Amino acid sequence: MFKGVNKALLLGSAAVAALLVIVIGTSVVDRLGGGVADAARRPIVSRAVVFRDTPSGGIAAFDQGAIEPFQILEREKNTFMATSLRLLGQVRQTRSKAGPETPFVITRWSDGKLTLTDPSTGETLELAAYGQRNADTFAQLLPQASVPR
């Protein structure tokens, strides 16, 4: 049926498309009132972070306006982060004029949950929905005093 089509490319494209549907679907459900947003929930700490790829293939995390990264992460150990940022970046390209220097916002809430938000599109990922280990990849970017032990 797909003669001459690279199967790996086709499967990879299907996986990216499925994850994009999940990201957009999560946002729609949250906006329609079916999400986990709680009126009593307050932000405890937030950090605006700009992400850039490094020449070695890692992910550099910068505070907004900073010249030097505050942390460089190995892509192989942070695949959830890389995938989330890629998907939110694709949504950003289609729905916003914001560029790569527009930060994403990581927020820890009073209920202990963690979110990743793209202010330019309004997309928010409830990171615990993808597992605590995946949420922790973003939690490590918050100031240490804010991360409960």
Side-chain angles (χ1 to χ4, degrees):
M1 179 176 166
F2 295 107
K3 201 172 220 176
V5 175
N6 184 329
K7 289 182 183 179
L9 180 61
L10 185 62
L11 288 174
S13 297
V16 168
L19 285 172
L20 190 56
V21 166
I22 291 169
V23 167
I24 292 171
T26 302
S27 173
V28 169
V29 167
D30 190 47
R31 287 184 187 150
L32 294 176
V36 295
D38 178 2
R41 185 164 88 161
R42 303 173 323 283
I44 299 299
V45 65
S46 289
R47 189 174 205 172
V49 181
V50 174
F51 295 95
R52 296 183 194 135
D53 292 330
T54 67
S56 64
I59 303 167
F62 294 80
D63 283 315
Q64 186 175 12
I67 296 172
E68 295 293 321
F70 65 85
Q71 193 164 354
I72 297 177
L73 304 139
E74 294 179 49
R75 186 173 305 272
E76 295 79 25
K77 293 181 180 177
N78 295 282
T79 55
F80 173 74
M81 179 183 290
T83 302
S84 298
L85 294 171
R86 183 175 42 245
L87 292 172
L88 287 174
Q90 289 173 345
V91 172
R92 180 181 278 183
Q93 285 180 337
T94 60
R95 294 180 36 198
S96 170
K97 293 190 187 315
E101 293 305 311
T102 302
F104 293 93
V105 179
I106 304 165
T107 304
R108 178 169 306 282
W109 296 90
S110 58
D111 62 2
K113 300 283 173 71
L114 202 66
T115 58
L116 175 65
T117 302
D118 182 352
S120 69
T121 63
E123 293 295 323
T124 297
L125 298 179
E126 292 278 349
L127 296 170
Y130 302 98
Q132 191 57 47
R133 183 183 297 173
N134 289 328
D136 288 346
T137 64
F138 284 96
Q140 68 181 318
L141 301 178
L142 290 173
Q144 290 302 312
S146 70
V147 179
R149 297 278 178 223

